Amino acid sequence: MTGRPVLPAAVSPGHGGLDGATARRRYVTVSFLFWLPIGMSIATGVLLFTERGMGLAAIAGFYAVHSLTAAAMELPTGGLSDVVGRRPVLAIAGLLNLTAFALIGLGAAGWAIALGMGLMGLARALSSGPAEAWYVDTVHAHAGPDADLRTGLARGSSATSAALALGTLLGGGLPWLLGLAPGLGEWPADTTGGLVIPLSVPVLLGALVEGVFVLYVLSALPEPPRPRTTLRRVVGGVPAAIAAGLRLGARDALIRRILLTASAAGAALAAVELLTPGRAAALMGTAESGALVFAGLACAGFLCSALGSQLAPLVARFTGSGERAVLASLGLVTLGLALLGLTTHTMSPLATTVAVTGYGLVYLGLGAAGPNENDLLHRRVDASGRATALSVQSLSLQLVAAGAGLGAGALPPGPLPWLLAATAVLAGALLWVRRAGPPKGFPDAPPRPDAAVPVPPHHGSSTAGDPVVAPVSAGPLHDTAPEEIRPHARPM
């Protein structure tokens, strides 16, 4: 970047001439369609596996297959998106989820369910960055690197939360509705030889939604033409993207903060998701009633996250910068976890109200922090490594969540697991007390003459108070094709 006035970039024909508002709407739609079927599977997942005759140990193994597959494939698939494109990777993720939901909904054998969970984990890894990277690439191509991203990122995050909330309600309500009509609940099992039961209906409907998602991705997300590639070139480019992603945190203090903050969020989510169902069951007296209460609470949590995401731009304006907004949001998460920890030993109406408030604050704070973190991240990396950077961020969250979940399960019941999670989030919040400096380039790369020149904030940008610096290339992938045939390789 230079000190010259920043003018809107010419519309990139490779992005179909989409303006920012159109790109935002399509990004929101993609986010909603992808997460709706996943939400539909949340309420009935464990019950469906139990109905198929699986024990708790087997069910835990199925979820472990999902988590380990997602973690193992996070970086490779992020690099794949940066090599072959956002749209094809998203379409593959949708097809994998479609297959996974069909296997889970129809499969009565353990191997079929395990395969479905593994495919779902792979789809999760594939989907963790490409949609957001497509949106940022498109907005940058139309309006330049100083275009407002935070609003679109916030709405996409809100759409994800809304889809999960609606999906949870649909998934929990459909089997119940089928049981209201005499004979209707038994009809699917009678006509399919037991393959389809009421508890599997939400998952199978989720497979249909995934088909709609794939068709929408292929028709509504235009991309610049990429060079013809071969399997050898793809395989050779992905490791370079992985290596670039691993170097991101090492060379840039701001990106390092974002990755550590994602780790803290993973610790918070692990504690909430592991410990809340047991508290709900203890409150209601039975596991069935507790599951119903937890479904409603989870839906409320997703709605709080959606609200937090919508408020993210307002929080940034109120606090003066995206960095201070992250600090304030993580402070809210810390408060929520502390309230949950301090109310573990009593089930009085007041304590229950405080605990529910704390639960909502956790999701509200995480929802507000996410778009502000990612807005800062996208201003630090360019298009050649954007999906890889998002994958590194997601990997940080998932790995710490897995370890924190094991740790919380091994600790004695009580306030300690909650307070340890609160401490982890507080440590993440304190990282944002001081503002980050400009990024450091690669040691072996010649210094860019414009890297240290600050640029006045673009008129109309919502990032007042944020440092505006030259984006950092993610590394080797930037040179995998000539620049003239890769117009998307850096912000325009």
Side-chain angles (χ1 to χ4, degrees), residues 1 146 150 254 257 320-324 375-376 379-380 432 435-439 453-457 463-471:
M1 304 234 273
D146 291 325
R150 191 179 284 121
L254 180 61
R257 289 185 188 183
S321 72
E323 295 184 46
R324 295 192 187 97
D375 179 78
L376 293 167
R379 295 177 186 280
R380 222 56 170 207
W432 298 91
R435 303 194 62 172
V453 180
V455 179
T463 57
D466 289 342
V468 182
V469 295

Side-chain angles (χ1 to χ4, degrees), residues 45-50 54-64 117:
V46 174
L47 296 175
L48 173 61
F49 299 152
T50 302
M54 305 298 165
L56 288 179
I59 294 173
F62 297 150
Y63 284 100
M117 295 296 283

Side-chain angles (χ1 to χ4, degrees), residues 293-366:
V293 169
F294 177 67
L297 193 59
C299 178
F302 294 139
L303 292 177
C304 285
S305 181
L307 176 61
S309 297
Q310 286 287 71
L311 294 175
L314 179 62
V315 175
R317 288 194 293 270
F318 180 77
T319 58
S321 72
E323 295 184 46
R324 295 192 187 97
V326 175
L327 172 62
S329 301
L330 293 181
L332 205 62
V333 178
T334 303
L335 175 60
L337 290 169
L339 293 177
L340 284 163
L342 295 174
T343 55
T344 54
H345 288 316
T346 177
M347 296 182 186
S348 67
L350 177 59
T352 301
T353 301
V354 172
V356 171
T357 301
Y359 185 92
L361 290 178
V362 169
Y363 280 94
L364 184 68
L366 290 175

Side-chain angles (χ1 to χ4, degrees), residues 366-383:
L366 290 175
N372 286 302
E373 291 175 37
N374 284 15
D375 179 78
L376 293 167
L377 176 66
H378 291 309
R379 295 177 186 280
R380 222 56 170 207
V381 296
D382 67 12

Side-chain angles (χ1 to χ4, degrees), residues 49 52-54 62 102-113 194-195:
F49 299 152
R52 297 294 195 192
M54 305 298 165
F62 297 150
L103 286 169
I104 292 170
L106 300 175
W111 68 265
I113 298 174
L195 286 178

